[in-house]
């Protein structure tokens, strides 16, 4: 039965999901992760990254290659899989991070020795040993320079989908070119993490896919091509150093002889890799408008698909479906929930009980900015309480979680005008009491999705889509995701009509307080 492999290289781990599809049979047959800190301690990462001075955060590109090598060994040796049936491979990666290859890289990639591990053979191909990643916040100066050169932050957002952001690839490249001109001169290719890993599979330069290209401040969002004026505002001769942009569903190569010989794998098609967020869109089954996904993770995210850019969200990316993906990020997610819960010495059952006891918190509100916040911009961390003090355990707990849900619901209007249904994912989505607050606040059904690794699943589904396209078999995205991302009936939480009107009113008060307290300087 045909198999499709999706790989996700996130900040902390590399995950592979294999799906089997034929007729009505649609199932996940392999799902494994490698953790960078635990499984590759020799690289000395913490949470998959290395923190430097002055807000610099980097990761070793050789570590990602090492993880890819070990994961393909696991796939090839899995007793559950008949790998001869592997038809296509795609992937996704943490967005914005960049990998710098020198002019020798092409030759090294073409002549890899299959009896040797991958990573040591790559030791001579990097013009920059460490890759800046999305947690890096060291490029404020470059952002301002790019903004000035292109006529303001709004103009950059209209052109590329986001205002100049410190973690985005363009400002990172600008900093590298200015601070290390010799190493930049020795750079023949700047890849994203996604296109770098795809290049390792195909042993040739992989293209950049528009969804991930949207996270660079370099791509014309509407045209899906490099914007020459953005390139000029970023670094000298950048056009020659970037791979081409190619559509998400266009196969660009085959699994190279290195992998075929090393692990007896077939010549599977290689499909462009995208960013983890656009990949999750497919992996959560969001292929239509008016459905919002809320991911409750370390930070919380809300995203939705539209046929035209929504315009007011923090970021607009291209979606693998050819539409637009609008995304808003909240830095105060699970980290804030856990800290407040522990400060009051409560377990999650007790939190659930308190949430159910007095929905609406008797009208009292809390602005949940334990850490600095990007939505809305808050540079001075600290909870803001209205009508109660920090000793009131119940009101603090309800205020925090209801405040977070109201913020998400209010800002979700920027990613999708109308929302008919919410899909909840991420670690905290297992908490039914939180989902009940979410349903009451949004006033629509909330479906919890059981998919654990939505980015890797999205990649496997994209591999399937591209394989079908290549055989000229027209296939809809609905058919692609069906059987993998359908909500389970037991996982639906419906709003309680008694509370919906009350929250609608509270949301207005909350929005007013938020406006009064937010900072003026934008934080990306
Ligand atoms: C999105 C972003 C993160 C990374 C994490 O803009 O920076 O979600 O993609 O993997």
């Amino acid at each position: 039965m045909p198999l499709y492999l999706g790989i996700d290289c996130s900040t902390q781990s590399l995950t592979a999901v294999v799906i089997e599809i034929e007729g009505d049979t649609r199932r996940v047959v392999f799902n494994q992760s490698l953790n960078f800190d635990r499984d590759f301690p020799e690289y000395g990462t913490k949470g998959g990254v290395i923190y430097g001075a002055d807000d610099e955060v980097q990761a070793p590109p050789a570590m990602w290659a090492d993880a890819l090598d070990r994961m393909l060994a696991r796939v090839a040796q899995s007793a559950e899989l008949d790998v001869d049936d592997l038809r296509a491979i795609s992937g996704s990666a943490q967005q914005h991070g960049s990998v710098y290859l020198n002019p020798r890289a092409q030759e090294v990639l073409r002549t890899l020795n299959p009896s040797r591990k991958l990573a040591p053979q790559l030791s001579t191909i990097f013009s920059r040993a460490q890759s800046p990643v999305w947690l890096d916040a060291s490029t404020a100066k470059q952002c301002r320079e790019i903004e000035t050169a292109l006529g303001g932050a709004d103009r950059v957002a209209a052109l590329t989908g986001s205002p100049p952001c410190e973690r985005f690839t363009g400002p990172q490249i600008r900093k590298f070119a200015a601070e290390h001109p010799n190493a930049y001169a020795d750079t023949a290719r700047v890849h994203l993490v996604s296109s770098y890993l795809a290049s390792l599979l195909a042993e040739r330069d992989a293209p950049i896919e528009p969804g991930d290209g949207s996270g660079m401040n370099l791509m014309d969002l509407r045209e899906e091509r490099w914007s020459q004026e953005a390139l000029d505002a970023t670094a000298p001769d950048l056009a020659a150093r970037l791979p081409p942009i190619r559509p998400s569903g266009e196969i660009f190569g085959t699994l190279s002889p290195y992998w075929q010989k090393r692990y007896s794998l077939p010549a599977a098609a290689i499909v462009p890799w995208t960013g983890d967020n656009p990949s999750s869109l497919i992996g959560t089954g969001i292929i239509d408008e008016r459905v919002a996904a809320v991911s409750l993770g370390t930070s919380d995210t809300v995203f939705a698909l539209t046929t035209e850019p929504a315009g007011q969200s923090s970021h607009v990316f291209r979606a693998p479906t050819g539409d637009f993906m609008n995304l808003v990020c909240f830095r105060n997610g699970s980290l804030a929930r856990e800290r407040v819960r522990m400060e009051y010495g409560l377990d999650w059952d007790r939190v659930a009980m308190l949430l159910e006891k007095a929905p609406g918190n008797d009208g009292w509100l809390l602005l949940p900015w334990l850490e600095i916040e990007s939505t809305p911009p808050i540079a001075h961390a600290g909870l803001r309480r209205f009508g109660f003090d920090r000793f009131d355990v119940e009101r603090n707990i309800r205020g925090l979680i209801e405040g977070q849900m109201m913020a998400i619901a209010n800002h979700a209007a920027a990613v999708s005008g109308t929302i008919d249904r919410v899909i909840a994912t991420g670690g905290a989505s297992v908490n039914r009491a939180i989902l009940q607050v979410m349903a009451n606040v949004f006033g629509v059904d909330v479906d919890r999705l059981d998919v654990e690794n939505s980015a890797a699943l999205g990649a496997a589904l994209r591999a399937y889509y591209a394989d079908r396209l290549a055989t000229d078999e027209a296939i809809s995205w609905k058919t692609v995701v069906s059987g993998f991302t359908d909500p389970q009936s037991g996982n639906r939480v419906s709003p309680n009509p008694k509370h919906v009107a009350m929250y609608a009113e509270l949301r207005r008060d909350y929005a007013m307080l938020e406006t009064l307290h937010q900072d003026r300087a934008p934080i990306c």
Side-chain angles (χ1 to χ4, degrees), residues 24-259:
D24 288 342
T25 306
R26 297 172 149 257
R27 51 189 193 114
V28 173
V29 285
F30 180 95
N31 187 350
Q32 286 194 24
S33 291
L34 291 165
N35 179 282
F36 296 133
D37 297 356
R38 187 194 57 214
D39 298 318
F40 302 90
E42 60 276 28
Y43 292 97
T45 57
K46 213 172 141 214
V49 299
I50 296 168
Y51 290 88
D54 303 325
D55 295 328
E56 281 185 354
V57 187
Q58 309 194 92
M63 176 180 77
W64 298 324
D66 228 349
L68 183 69
D69 193 2
R70 201 175 301 175
M71 187 52 90
L72 282 192
R74 286 200 185 175
V75 170
Q77 287 147 18
S78 164
E80 318 295 317
L81 305 174
D82 183 354
V83 286
D84 287 344
D85 290 339
L86 187 61
R87 295 284 288 269
I89 306 174
S90 190
S92 63
Q94 52 174 296
Q95 295 200 252
H96 320 302
S98 40
V99 180
Y100 300 73
L101 302 185
N102 64 32
R104 277 87 62 202
Q106 290 287 338
E107 181 58 18
V108 171
L109 287 186
R110 267 197 305 271
T111 52
L112 292 171
N113 178 346
S115 57
R116 291 183 50 218
K117 279 176 71 172
L118 178 65
Q121 297 189 66
L122 305 182
S123 62
T124 59
I125 72 169
F126 303 109
S127 56
R128 174 177 180 167
Q130 303 286 351
S131 290
V133 296
W134 68 280
L135 290 158
D136 186 295
S138 68
T139 63
K141 175 172 172 276
Q142 288 73 22
C143 288
R144 298 296 81 77
E145 290 165 353
I146 292 169
E147 186 176 302
T148 307
L150 291 177
D154 289 348
R155 167 101 218 295
V156 181
L159 180 67
T160 70
S162 298
C165 293
E166 296 180 349
R167 67 188 190 286
F168 274 40
T169 326
Q172 293 290 343
I173 296 172
R174 181 170 178 81
K175 182 172 173 226
F176 179 60
E179 293 180 358
H180 303 278
N182 292 340
Y184 181 71
D186 191 38
T187 302
R189 267 285 174 266
V190 181
H191 272 294
L192 289 176
V193 183
S194 58
S195 59
Y196 158 67
L197 290 169
S199 303
L200 296 183
L201 290 181
E203 276 181 28
R204 51 169 290 209
D205 234 357
I208 282 180
E209 183 273 352
D212 217 11
S214 322
M216 301 174 80
N217 284 142
L218 295 174
M219 190 188 85
D220 182 320
L221 184 75
R222 284 183 180 276
E223 303 290 330
E224 298 189 337
R225 58 173 169 72
W226 298 123
S227 156
Q228 192 55 50
E229 55 170 332
L231 303 191
D232 291 343
T234 300
D237 294 325
L238 187 49
R241 291 178 165 83
L242 292 171
I245 298 171
R246 301 300 309 156
S248 193
E250 187 180 284
I251 292 167
F252 76 92
T254 46
L255 190 66
S256 71
Y258 172 78
W259 300 106

Side-chain angles (χ1 to χ4, degrees), residues 209 224 248 278 281-282 286-288 305-306 318-325 462 465 477:
E209 183 273 352
E224 298 189 337
S248 193
L281 194 74
I282 302 302
I286 299 198
I287 47 162
D288 292 315
L305 175 145
T306 46
R318 292 308 296 238
T321 54
D323 301 298
F324 296 89
M325 171 183 193
R462 286 180 45 251
Y465 177 79
W477 281 102

Side-chain angles (χ1 to χ4, degrees), residues 346-505:
L346 305 173
D347 60 21
W348 277 109
D349 287 345
R350 177 90 184 129
V351 171
M353 212 207 80
L354 295 178
L355 289 174
E356 281 155 12
K357 187 173 156 196
N361 213 19
D362 305 317
W364 302 117
L365 295 175
L366 181 152
L367 296 172
W369 305 321
L370 199 63
E371 310 281 342
I372 61 161
E373 182 55 78
S374 46
T375 312
I378 301 297
H380 305 286
L383 301 178
R384 275 77 157 170
R385 302 173 179 88
F386 299 89
F388 58 99
D389 61 25
R390 71 188 180 86
F391 300 105
D392 188 333
V393 180
E394 296 196 14
R395 289 196 170 139
N396 275 281
I397 287 292
R398 279 193 295 266
L400 178 89
I401 291 173
E402 292 185 348
Q404 288 185 324
M405 295 308 130
M406 286 193 270
I408 295 173
N410 285 347
H411 289 280
V415 302
S416 171
T418 313
I419 294 168
D420 296 336
R421 189 165 68 91
V422 171
I423 292 178
T425 65
S429 68
V430 295
N431 193 311
R432 221 179 155 85
I434 296 185
L435 296 200
Q436 186 62 61
V437 177
M438 193 190 284
N440 291 344
V441 167
F442 270 88
V444 299
D445 288 337
V446 173
D447 288 316
R448 184 170 71 78
L449 206 67
D450 261 340
V451 170
E452 259 174 74
N453 297 308
S454 57
L457 174 65
L461 292 169
R462 286 180 45 251
Y464 170 60
Y465 177 79
D467 181 55
R468 296 291 78 202
L469 265 195
T471 54
D472 272 343
E473 196 183 298
I475 184 160
S476 70
W477 281 102
K478 197 171 165 41
T479 311
V480 172
V481 301
S482 117
F484 289 103
T485 61
D486 308 321
Q488 313 282 307
S489 55
N491 287 349
R492 171 161 289 186
V493 180
S494 297
N496 181 336
K498 252 186 14 211
H499 302 315
V500 174
M502 173 210 34
Y503 278 118
E505 209 171 298

Side-chain angles (χ1 to χ4, degrees), residues 10-11 93-96 134 167-168 276-277 301 315 317 327 329:
S10 76
T11 315
Q94 52 174 296
Q95 295 200 252
H96 320 302
W134 68 280
R167 67 188 190 286
F168 274 40
D276 51 3
N277 292 301
T301 319
H315 306 298
F317 301 134
L327 177 131
C329 233

